[in-house]
Amino acid sequence: MLQRKGFTFESDTDTEVIPKLAKFLYDSMKEKGSSRELTFRQLVCEVMKQLEGAYALLFKSPHFPGELIACKRGSPLIMGIKEPSDGPRPFSDPEEPQPFPAAGFFKEVASKGTTQGPIEFYFASDSSAIIEHTKTVLMLEDDDVAHLSDGTYAVYRLQRGEEDSEGYVRQETVERISQTLELELEQIMKGEYDHFMQKEIYEQPNSIQQTMRGRIKFDGLNEDVGTLVERSLRGEISDDAHGRIVLGGIQQYAQTICRSRRIIFVACGTSFHAAVACRQ
């Protein structure tokens, strides 16, 4: 679609396709006109509506200075919050974390009287990447949209299948509870295991779940893939449940693959053993 609209691509990566999709939607929404001003959050939500599969994305734009949007579906995404100079915590009591405020308000992260330097936000897929900077985190859920603006943040949830009066996808403010990481960096890196090889072996089931997030869809079942895999292993999902596998990287080549007489797998290490298993 984007190529028909005049966009040229130097690769097939999401890193290039998604920003150009955002540019196309921005231009289209500007040309369409609206009774209200186009917001950065609304633009990102329209991009999310077009995407399939698992992703965790951060958006910055010169059209919306001082703002950052983070969103996810399937892939993990954590937001860390750090106040300047180890000042008061973003929430009043770590033992009783406060929910996000009422709809329509941004959360003022800095406590009253704290003015020593800027507030810092960190985004990562795993807590081990940010624990050396802060232990206060928000765990974003699927279809969450975190909107940062001038030292404040708000969290919204994309309402898929629901549109407003102008045909744009709806979002609603949601409550996300802050969490305090209790583990130290060394513990998170190796955890309870004696060595990293052992850790990798025991984390294989979770790794498979993470890999397949956003790529397996069961009709009528709205749970995430991890829950579905666990239920399937326990025999709680009937054999007649219909599922759909979404492999975005090969969809456009599916017909060519089906006509192929020979497929060559080139791999090494663990990927080599996976290729051998497919051949058998």
Side-chain angles (χ1 to χ4, degrees):
M1 178 191 72
L2 293 177
Q3 290 176 325
R4 293 198 302 269
K5 297 296 183 179
F7 287 88
T8 57
F9 293 89
E10 299 180 4
S11 69
D12 294 323
T13 63
D14 296 341
T15 308
E16 182 179 7
V17 174
I18 294 177
K20 290 186 175 179
L21 173 62
K23 178 63 167 63
F24 169 73
L25 292 175
Y26 175 82
D27 293 340
S28 300
M29 295 167 74
K30 279 292 188 180
E31 292 176 3
K32 176 181 176 181
S34 173
S35 59
R36 67 171 185 263
E37 183 179 359
L38 173 64
T39 65
F40 198 10
R41 187 179 73 251
Q42 186 67 65
L43 173 62
V44 172
C45 287
E46 293 301 316
V47 173
M48 293 174 64
K49 187 173 69 173
Q50 302 294 327
L51 301 179
E52 288 192 353
Y55 55 81
L57 306 171
L58 300 181
F59 288 83
K60 284 283 291 179
S61 171
H63 299 294
F64 304 95
E67 299 184 51
L68 181 144
I69 304 290
C71 62
K72 70 172 290 282
R73 189 181 190 192
S75 298
L77 186 60
I78 300 171
M79 183 175 80
I81 307 170
K82 180 182 180 181
E83 290 200 56
S85 303
D86 297 323
R89 303 196 65 82
F91 299 98
S92 58
D93 186 350
E95 300 302 324
E96 297 180 7
Q98 302 299 310
F100 186 79
F105 291 89
F106 276 93
K107 176 64 179 177
E108 290 284 354
V109 180
S111 301
K112 185 178 295 186
T114 302
T115 59
Q116 305 139 336
I119 301 160
E120 298 177 4
F121 294 95
Y122 299 86
F123 288 93
S125 59
D126 189 83
S127 55
S128 61
I130 62 176
I131 193 171
E132 63 180 299
H133 304 289
T134 179
K135 290 189 176 182
T136 302
V137 299
L138 292 180
M139 304 293 185
L140 298 179
E141 299 181 7
D142 283 355
D143 289 333
D144 274 0
V145 180
H147 186 182
L148 277 62
S149 177
D150 297 326
T152 63
Y153 74 89
V155 182
Y156 299 82
R157 186 173 183 82
L158 183 73
Q159 303 297 310
R160 293 186 179 274
E162 299 183 20
E163 297 181 346
D164 60 19
S165 58
E166 298 187 12
Y168 297 138
V169 64
R170 293 183 60 249
Q171 324 111 45
E172 292 184 356
T173 310
V174 293
E175 295 182 354
R176 291 290 176 258
I177 304 299
S178 69
Q179 301 181 25
T180 301
L181 300 176
E182 300 296 341
L183 298 178
E184 298 300 327
L185 178 61
E186 293 77 9
Q187 294 175 290
I188 288 183
M189 293 298 291
K190 193 163 62 175
E192 59 183 358
Y193 304 102
D194 296 330
H195 45 76
F196 284 103
M197 178 64 75
Q198 185 185 48
K199 182 174 185 286
E200 290 182 6
I201 292 173
Y202 281 94
E203 287 184 347
Q204 284 182 354
N206 182 63
S207 298
I208 294 174
Q209 293 180 17
Q210 296 291 351
T211 301
M212 300 309 296
R213 285 186 186 279
R215 296 180 172 85
I216 298 180
K217 298 182 179 180
F218 289 89
D219 297 337
L221 298 177
N222 298 320
E223 297 147 304
D224 64 88
V225 66
T227 303
L228 291 171
V229 169
E230 292 176 0
R231 289 184 56 196
S232 177
L233 293 175
R234 293 196 301 265
E236 297 177 2
I237 297 181
S238 61
D239 294 337
D240 58 354
H242 299 289
R244 182 164 64 95
I245 297 177
V246 180
L247 299 175
I250 66 173
Q251 280 184 333
Q252 57 183 323
Y253 306 109
Q255 294 184 352
T256 302
I257 293 174
C258 290
R259 294 195 300 266
S260 299
R261 298 177 58 187
R262 183 184 183 194
I263 298 177
I264 300 175
F265 291 92
V266 180
C268 63
T270 304
S271 299
F272 169 76
H273 295 289
V276 172
C278 291
R279 182 185 65 185
Q280 295 176 344

